[in-house]
């Protein structure tokens, strides 16, 4: 484990292209594997989590070819997943992989698949996907009833109307993928809108996807037809540079090619509400229309004084991975910053309520193997008066390899 000292910065200047989107990359590989024919993915994120996804779909029968400018996935088809090799399918540290892949596996009639991850990963719950998949007719047997390793046995699935107890894009996506198998429509109702990349990609693949307020429906499908997927810059990775640019006096940073999907732009809107200077065109919520593409823009960030804000529960899913940064900004803002209804943070790569509270006490922060905590510590160091030591900085590689090098380029 590496401990890195990040010293205060005098002003960050320049422009950068943040890494491409982790969420969309996972989906591109999984839907590519489910497709019939060939999908060409440009900008696939080259990081630990998304490498786990390519390896997993290759074990399940998709053919994955990497060329310098694209990843090409030859799909195994909606009903064509067959595990090769010995041992469980390794999901590494990737929660999105662990929760989306079973949506495909659940419809492989009579075939069983065991999934497992790194040791530190075994605390992350899978009961949230096991429940709807069981209602659809699949069997999911998990350790202690709720954790990896777990085994999915596919079946002829029934359509479902699933009322999600929490707003989770991973659970929604898992159910939508499973719902492609049965004849007839299935509906997932979410308490609040969460990220909608799966809906967009399915619609682009020819699936009938509808949205009616908080209800999302899909029809069963025979095939997925995807040809090209271009992955935009990851707004969750960009968020660390936005926070640094807003906090370090004298900064002026331009971030190129950032995804501005409205279901991922919550953080930028919160920063703007706090008085932070972030300019760029964000997508507006499009009502019930289902888009088939992902919007992209350049964002310009400058430092300035901040005021506290209140983040209500409805806004939490739109900024879920950026809430640790809201806490950091709150430390520098005038007045109080309050986040409500964020208990889902306890189930992320670390218990992000506990690790953020502990980490922001100052001076030294432990990543606990959590990429977003490592980068939070580094940004805190840039904005601090005395610097911050980050224990376990290498965790950043899960989503943002080269994060410190990018920061150094702006100093
Ligand atoms: C993700 C959804 C969110 C998010 C995670 C990625 C996704 O998790 O925190 O980093 O790609 O669907 P939940 O669906 O559990 O909220």
């Amino acid at each position: 484990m590496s401990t890195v000292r990040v010293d205060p910065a005098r002003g960050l200047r320049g422009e950068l292209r943040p890494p491409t989107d982790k969420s969309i990359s996972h989906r591109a590989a999984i839907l590519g594997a489910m497709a019939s024919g060939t999908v060409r993915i440009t900008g696939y994120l080259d990081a630990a989590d998304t490498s786990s996804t390519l390896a997993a779909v290759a074990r399940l029968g998709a053919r994955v070819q990497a060329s310098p400018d694209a990843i090409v996935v030859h799909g195994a088809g909606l009903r064509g997943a067959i595990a090769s090799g010995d041992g469980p399918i390794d999901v590494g540290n990737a929660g999105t992989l662990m929760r989306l892949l079973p949506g495909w596996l659940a419809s492989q009639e009579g075939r069983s698949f065991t999934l497992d991850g790194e040791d530190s990963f075994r605390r992350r719950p899978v009961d949230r996907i096991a429940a709807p998949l069981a209602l659809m007719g699949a069997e999911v047997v998990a350790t202690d009833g709720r954790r990896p390793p777990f085994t999915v046995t596919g079946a002829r699935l029934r359509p479902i109307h699933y009322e999600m107890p929490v707003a989770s894009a991973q659970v929604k996506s898992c159910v939508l993928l499973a719902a492609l198998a049965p004849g007839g429509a299935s509906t997932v109702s979410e308490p609040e809108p969460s990220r909608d990349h799966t809906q967009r990609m399915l619609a682009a693949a020819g699936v009938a996807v509808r949205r009616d307020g908080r209800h999302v429906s899909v029809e069963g499908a025979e095939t997925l037809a995807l040809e090209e997927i271009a992955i935009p810059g990851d707004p969750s990775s960009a968020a660390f540079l936005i926070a640094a640019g807003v906090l370090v006096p004298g900064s002026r940073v331009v971030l190129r090619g950032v995804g501005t999907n409205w279901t991922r732009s919550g953080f930028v809107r919160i920063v703007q509400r706090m008085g932070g200077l972030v300019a760029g065109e964000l997508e507006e919520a499009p009502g019930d229309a289902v888009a088939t593409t992902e919007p992209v823009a350049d964002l310009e960030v400058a430092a300035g004084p901040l005021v506290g804000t209140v983040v209500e529960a409805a806004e939490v899913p739109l900024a879920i991975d950026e809430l640790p940064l809201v806490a950091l900004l709150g430390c520098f803002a005038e007045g109080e910053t309050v986040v409500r209804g964020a208990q889902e943070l306890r189930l992320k790569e670390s218990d992000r309520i506990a690790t953020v509270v502990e980490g922001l006490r100052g001076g030294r922060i432990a990543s606990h193997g959590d990429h977003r905590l490592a980068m939070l510590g580094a940004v805190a160091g840039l904005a601090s008066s005395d610097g911050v030591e980050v224990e376990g900085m290498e965790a950043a590689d899960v989503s943002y390899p080269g994060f410190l090098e990018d920061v150094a380029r702006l100093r």
Side-chain angles (χ1 to χ4, degrees):
M1 197 164 38
S2 63
T3 297
V4 172
R5 189 180 169 75
V6 179
D7 290 319
R10 289 236 173 70
L12 300 170
R13 296 199 155 247
E15 51 175 82
L16 269 184
R17 198 166 272 280
T20 48
D21 196 288
K22 182 158 87 70
S23 270
I24 303 177
S25 293
H26 284 304
R27 286 159 172 78
I30 294 170
L31 269 71
M34 297 171 75
S36 306
T38 296
V39 183
R40 187 168 178 277
I41 307 168
T42 52
Y44 190 86
L45 176 67
D46 184 8
D49 254 23
T50 42
S51 299
S52 298
T53 302
L54 290 180
V57 299
R59 280 228 19 217
L60 290 165
R63 210 147 49 78
V64 178
Q65 282 175 318
S67 70
D69 60 344
I71 299 275
V72 177
V73 179
H74 305 266
L78 279 175
R79 290 162 189 81
I82 296 175
S84 62
D86 294 327
I89 310 280
D90 183 7
V91 298
N93 186 44
T96 302
L97 170 61
M98 173 174 79
R99 302 216 181 86
L100 264 62
L101 200 59
W104 181 32
L105 303 179
S107 62
Q108 312 301 312
E109 284 177 44
R111 294 198 284 276
S112 292
F113 307 85
T114 299
L115 278 66
D116 198 5
E118 293 168 6
D119 286 352
S120 61
F121 190 74
R122 290 191 174 159
R123 57 176 277 280
R124 304 198 61 192
V126 293
D127 46 343
R128 47 183 53 202
I129 57 157
L133 293 179
L135 289 171
M136 296 178 84
E139 192 189 358
V140 183
V141 178
T143 307
D144 301 331
R146 65 180 314 235
R147 284 177 230 289
F150 65 104
T151 300
V152 182
T153 303
R156 180 178 291 267
L157 300 181
R158 300 181 280 276
I160 190 172
H161 183 161
Y162 190 60
E163 186 72 50
M164 292 204 305
V166 289
S168 160
Q170 293 177 349
V171 176
K172 173 177 66 174
S173 299
C174 175
V175 178
L176 294 177
L177 296 186
L180 299 176
S186 290
T187 302
V188 183
S189 303
E190 28 184 11
E192 314 287 352
S194 63
R195 65 188 69 186
D196 67 359
H197 307 304
T198 306
Q199 287 133 265
R200 290 181 195 228
M201 215 179 272
L202 286 175
V207 174
V209 184
R210 281 190 312 280
R211 187 163 160 235
D212 178 4
R214 59 185 200 88
H215 313 287
V216 181
S217 305
V218 295
E219 297 282 342
E222 284 307 314
T223 54
L224 297 186
L226 280 159
E227 285 169 12
E228 290 266 345
I229 302 174
I231 316 274
D234 194 323
S236 299
S237 299
F240 292 94
L241 303 169
I242 292 172
V246 164
L247 288 176
V248 176
S251 295
R252 198 172 173 78
V253 176
V254 177
L255 300 171
R256 300 266 177 221
V258 181
T260 55
N261 180 319
W262 72 277
T263 62
R264 296 288 299 283
S265 311
F267 176 68
V268 173
R269 293 183 202 276
I270 293 166
V271 174
Q272 289 172 333
R273 209 160 67 221
M274 295 178 84
L277 302 172
V278 186
E281 198 181 330
L282 305 180
E283 185 186 47
E284 293 300 330
D288 285 343
V290 177
T292 53
T293 54
E294 295 285 347
V296 176
D298 295 340
L299 301 180
E300 274 185 60
V301 185
L306 300 176
V307 291
T309 191
V310 178
V311 176
E312 298 288 357
E315 210 174 4
V316 162
L318 310 179
I320 184 76
D321 293 333
E322 293 73 64
L323 292 175
L325 285 168
V326 173
L328 178 66
L329 296 183
C331 296
F332 288 84
E334 196 187 316
E336 203 173 55
T337 297
V338 179
V339 179
R340 296 204 171 97
Q343 57 277 8
E344 275 292 297
L345 289 181
R346 295 212 183 272
L347 302 174
K348 299 297 175 190
E349 284 85 330
S350 64
D351 171 345
R352 283 192 184 146
I353 295 183
T355 50
V356 166
V357 168
E358 175 200 283
L360 293 185
R361 290 203 182 115
R364 190 174 176 94
I365 183 167
S367 73
H368 296 277
D370 181 339
H371 53 135
R372 303 208 196 275
L373 253 292
M375 291 186 279
L376 176 77
V379 175
L382 295 172
S384 68
S385 47
D386 298 322
V388 168
E389 282 189 353
V390 186
E391 212 178 280
M393 189 65 222
E394 69 283 353
D397 292 351
V398 157
S399 60
Y400 197 153
F403 173 71
L404 284 184
E405 288 77 0
D406 272 3
V407 167
R409 253 176 242 137
L410 297 175
R411 287 183 86 129

